């Protein structure tokens, strides 16, 4: 039953659900693959730095790459085995790019390194608790992959009125959070309490969708007055951070702002479960639930070790790669179309969706029907953005808040002219980002040039300040030489007088 007192976000869509394909089966623990490929960057921020060498034996849970800076996370071995390579491998990326990864050959023993949880988390200092979460390599697991400790730190610097644990899985095919809650409700509730303690939130909500009744029933008996369970209607994209905040609190996150600006912090439900494992058991983030669905013989959810190849996961559901199929990492609405199944599952991989390629209806001219604006949850003007993206008018794109677009795909979904609007926005965002980066690089180069010029000018000034000293030293030296010459002359004159010599050669 939908909770009372909720608000609405603008736009959105009621999409046909495909969740029944995968959420009826218990999750399967995926067998060990032949190789584990762990990218050094599975999160927003700087890539981690390897601390192992090729040929080393590692244990499950061992740190194999350390965090490189504040917005970074360590990488842990997801099973025991031998390090076979540190090099470039395919990663989840629409362009099929490669990135630095560590390759492990599993030894089949899956032996843990020494791990230990902390005792009573409630008596811990919140900052220490945040460090435990950081050292466990936990990032947001709902798709954005932002390091969890950074959000928690924001929470200790500003008062947190509401902590929201997001269990709203609004993409029509994805059910990994649903299965996680049904199978591990205790982890979610305990992890939620730990996060709440880490940010000292006044109020705590777990938000769930109305089409997840089994998950709701699993959570309810474990809750006390400290956590509210709120059921929201199934409207896409209700799980978006800004949309869910609006629905639960009636508040809007400011444009270009963050939820903490209005005293709110949100974490995904899988992040709460990972926090429980890290704090209670000392387990780093090395596995996750993944939905494998669409045109596969046995769609279901898998418990997957990070670094497991996507192909190995699909094979567990009876799927063998077929040319012409579309492989999407993520959901049907917001997922990324990838070229093959070579890449590994990473911290943010929540769904592997296989779709048969259908002939796309041809793109037609915009008829200015306005349907795209009606469904936009970010209150944008998608049609205008489309024109500006086509004409590469970066100023107008910025003025029309292109970067507020959450790429939910609602506009493309309803467009009668079959215009792939989101594609245009993604390309435009990339171009603007590249342009800004080149401006930033040019600015930094100019700054370096000016700094050098200033340094050289300073050095030249110092030299000229020293010059009077040098002159004085020169004069002093000349005086000394003249004195010595005079003394020698006097000595010779004395000697001539004493010995009666004549015609001696003068020094001058
Ligand atoms: S929905 Fe499509 S055709 Fe209609 S205004 Fe938007 S872009 Fe144009
Ligand atoms: S993709 Fe962007 S522009 Fe289109 S509806 Fe979603 S938020 Fe609005």
């Amino acid at each position: 039953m939908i909770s009372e007192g909720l608000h609405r976000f603008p736009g959105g869509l009621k999409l046909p659900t495909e969740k029944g394909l995968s959420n009826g089966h218990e999750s399967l623990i995926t067998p060990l693959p032949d190789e584990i490929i762990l990218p050094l960057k599975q999160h927003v921020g700087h890539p981690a730095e390897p601390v192992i060498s090729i040929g080393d034996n590692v244990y499950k849970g061992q740190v194999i790459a350390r965090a490189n800076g504040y917005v970074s996370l360590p990488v842990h071995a997801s099973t025991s085995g031998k390090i076979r390579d540190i090099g470039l491998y395919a990663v989840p990326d629409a362009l099929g790019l490669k990135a630095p990864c560590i390759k492990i050959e599993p030894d089949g023993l899956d032996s843990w390194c020494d791990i230990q949880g902390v005792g009573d988390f409630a008596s811990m200092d919140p900052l220490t608790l945040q460090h435990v979460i950081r050292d466990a390599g936990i990032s947001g697991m709902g798709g954005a992959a932002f390091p969890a400790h950074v959000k928690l730190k924001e929470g200790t610097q500003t008062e947190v009125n509401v902590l929201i644990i997001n269990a709203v899985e609004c993409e029509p095919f994805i059910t990994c959070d649903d299965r996680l809650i049904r199978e591990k409700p205790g982890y979610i509730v305990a992890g939620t309490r730990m996060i709440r303690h880490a940010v000292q939130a006044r109020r705590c909500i777990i938000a769930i969708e109305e089409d997840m009744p089994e998950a709701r029933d699993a959570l309810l008996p474990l809750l006390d007055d400290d956590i509210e369970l709120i059921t929201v209607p199934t409207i896409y994209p209700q799980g978006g951070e800004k949309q869910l905040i609006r629905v639960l609190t009636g508040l809007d996150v400011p444009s270009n702002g963050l939820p903490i600006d209005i005293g709110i912090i949100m974490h995904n439900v899988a992040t709460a479960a990972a926090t429980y494992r890290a704090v209670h058991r000392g387990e780093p983030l090395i596995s996750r639930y993944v939905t494998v669905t669409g045109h596969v013989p046995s769609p279901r959810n898998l418990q997957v070790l990070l670094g497991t190849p996507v192909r190995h996961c699909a094979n567990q559901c009876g799927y063998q790669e077929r040319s012409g199929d579309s492989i999407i990492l993520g959901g049907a609405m917001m997922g990324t179309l990838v070229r093959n199944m070579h890449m590994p599952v990473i911290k943010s991989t929540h769904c592997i969706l296989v779709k048969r390629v259908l002939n796309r209806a041809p793109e037609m001219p915009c008829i200015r029907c306005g349907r795209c604006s009606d469904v936009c949850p970010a209150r944008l003007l998608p049609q205008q953005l489309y024109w500006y993206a086509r004409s590469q008018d970066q100023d107008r794109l910025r003025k029309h808040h292109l970067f507020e677009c959450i790429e939910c795909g609602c506009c493309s979904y309803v467009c009668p002219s079959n215009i792939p609007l989101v594609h245009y926005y993604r390309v435009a965002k990339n171009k603007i980002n590249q342009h800004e980066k080149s401006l930033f690089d040019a600015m930094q180069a100019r700054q370096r040039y000016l700094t050098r010029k200033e340094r050289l000018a300073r050095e030249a000034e110092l030299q000229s300040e020293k010059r009077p000293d040098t002159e004085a030293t020169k004069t002093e030296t000349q005086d000394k030489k003249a004195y010595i010459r005079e003394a020698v002359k006097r000595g010779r004159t004395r000697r001539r007088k004493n010995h009666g010599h004549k015609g001696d050669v003068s020094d001058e």
Side-chain angles (χ1 to χ4, degrees), residues 236-237 243 372-373 375-383 385 402 404-412 421-422 425 429:
Y236 179 81
Q243 288 66 41
C372 48
S373 311
V375 295
C376 179
R379 296 192 181 99
L380 302 177
L381 296 171
Q383 173 205 354
L385 289 173
L402 174 68
E404 292 286 305
C405 166
I406 58 168
E407 299 178 15
C408 65
C410 288
C411 51
S412 308
L421 295 161
V422 182
Y425 308 149
K429 281 182 186 177

Side-chain angles (χ1 to χ4, degrees), residues 177-350:
D177 287 349
D178 186 3
R179 275 315 318 179
L180 170 69
I181 302 170
R182 292 195 210 183
E183 294 174 16
K184 315 268 190 223
Y187 289 16
I188 313 289
V189 174
T192 300
R193 291 195 170 112
M194 289 164 179
I195 295 176
R196 182 181 195 172
H197 181 69
V199 296
Q200 299 287 296
R202 286 195 193 144
R203 186 182 168 201
C204 182
I205 297 170
I206 297 180
I208 200 164
E209 264 184 326
E210 63 175 323
D211 65 355
M212 297 165 74
E214 294 87 353
R216 185 186 157 81
D217 290 348
L219 287 172
L220 263 177
L222 305 176
L223 300 177
D224 286 326
D225 293 346
D226 58 338
I227 302 174
E228 300 164 51
L229 184 63
I230 296 187
T231 309
V232 300
T234 306
I235 301 172
Y236 179 81
Q238 186 111 254
E241 195 170 61
K242 291 185 176 178
Q243 288 66 41
L244 188 55
I245 288 172
R246 166 101 197 120
V247 168
L248 295 172
T249 66
L251 298 172
D252 286 319
V253 177
S255 181
N256 297 323
L258 294 170
I260 192 62
D261 298 337
I262 52 170
I264 296 174
I265 282 190
M266 185 182 289
H267 281 284
N268 177 261
V269 79
T271 310
T275 299
Y276 165 77
R277 283 178 183 268
V279 176
H280 183 70
R281 298 186 183 174
E283 285 182 18
L285 177 54
I286 53 162
S287 67
R288 65 159 301 141
Y289 274 58
V290 179
T291 307
V292 182
T293 188
H295 282 97
V296 298
S298 313
R300 68 185 310 153
N301 281 281
L302 303 175
Q303 293 182 46
V304 184
L305 292 177
L306 301 182
T308 300
V310 165
R311 179 188 287 120
H312 184 73
C313 300
N315 292 164
Q316 305 313 308
C317 300
Y319 179 74
Q320 299 298 328
E321 246 172 305
R322 266 184 313 242
S323 67
D325 281 356
S326 294
I327 314 296
I328 298 165
L329 293 186
M333 298 296 285
M334 293 179 84
T336 307
L337 187 69
V338 292
R339 297 183 176 191
N340 52 48
M341 291 188 153
H342 294 156
M343 64 278 299
V345 166
I346 60 171
K347 294 174 185 177
S348 58
T349 311
H350 47 174

Side-chain angles (χ1 to χ4, degrees), residues 111-133:
S111 328
W112 276 96
C113 63
D114 284 339
I115 50 169
Q116 206 172 8
V118 300
D120 176 20
F121 77 88
S123 61
M124 281 176 83
D125 165 45
L127 204 61
T128 313
L129 194 52
Q130 288 174 22
H131 291 167
V132 173
I133 293 168

Side-chain angles (χ1 to χ4, degrees), residues 468-485:
D469 286 343
T470 315
E471 290 297 321
T473 313
K474 218 191 260 175
T475 316
E476 198 178 298
T477 313
Q478 282 168 354
D479 288 350
K480 271 183 191 168
K481 279 183 181 169
Y483 175 79
I484 291 166
R485 271 200 305 273

Side-chain angles (χ1 to χ4, degrees), residues 365-372 383 386 411 414-417 419 421:
C366 169
I367 54 168
R368 299 177 188 271
C369 64
R371 287 193 208 170
C372 48
Q383 173 205 354
Y386 163 64
C411 51
V414 298
C415 178
S417 297
I419 303 173
L421 295 161

Side-chain angles (χ1 to χ4, degrees), residues 27-185:
S27 68
L28 189 79
I29 296 174
T30 310
L32 271 176
D34 293 339
E35 59 181 28
I36 289 278
I37 312 268
L38 289 159
L40 296 176
K41 182 168 153 59
Q42 301 178 45
H43 50 265
V44 171
H46 295 291
E49 278 179 342
V51 291
I52 38 72
S53 304
I54 296 171
D56 285 358
N57 288 312
V58 292
Y59 286 102
K60 181 173 182 165
Q62 184 180 328
V63 174
I64 53 173
R66 64 168 166 247
N68 179 17
Y70 177 53
V71 187
S72 182
L73 284 170
V75 176
H76 302 79
S78 51
T79 189
S80 57
K82 198 180 268 296
I83 302 293
R84 283 295 177 202
D85 194 16
I86 304 170
L88 295 178
Y89 288 89
V91 292
D93 182 281
L95 300 174
L97 296 178
K98 292 184 173 183
C101 297
I102 296 174
K103 179 165 148 181
I104 301 175
E105 182 185 313
D107 59 14
L109 303 172
D110 213 26
S111 328
W112 276 96
C113 63
D114 284 339
I115 50 169
Q116 206 172 8
V118 300
D120 176 20
F121 77 88
S123 61
M124 281 176 83
D125 165 45
L127 204 61
T128 313
L129 194 52
Q130 288 174 22
H131 291 167
V132 173
I133 293 168
R134 177 197 63 193
D135 295 344
I138 299 177
S139 62
M141 294 171 76
F146 202 74
H149 68 275
V150 178
K151 271 195 194 178
L152 297 176
K153 178 97 176 164
E154 284 165 4
T156 36
Q157 286 165 349
T158 314
E159 213 161 88
V160 179
N161 293 323
V162 193
L163 166 67
I164 300 170
I165 300 297
N166 186 351
V168 178
E169 209 165 29
C170 55
E171 277 266 8
F173 280 90
I174 305 180
T175 59
C176 57
D177 287 349
D178 186 3
R179 275 315 318 179
L180 170 69
I181 302 170
R182 292 195 210 183
E183 294 174 16
K184 315 268 190 223

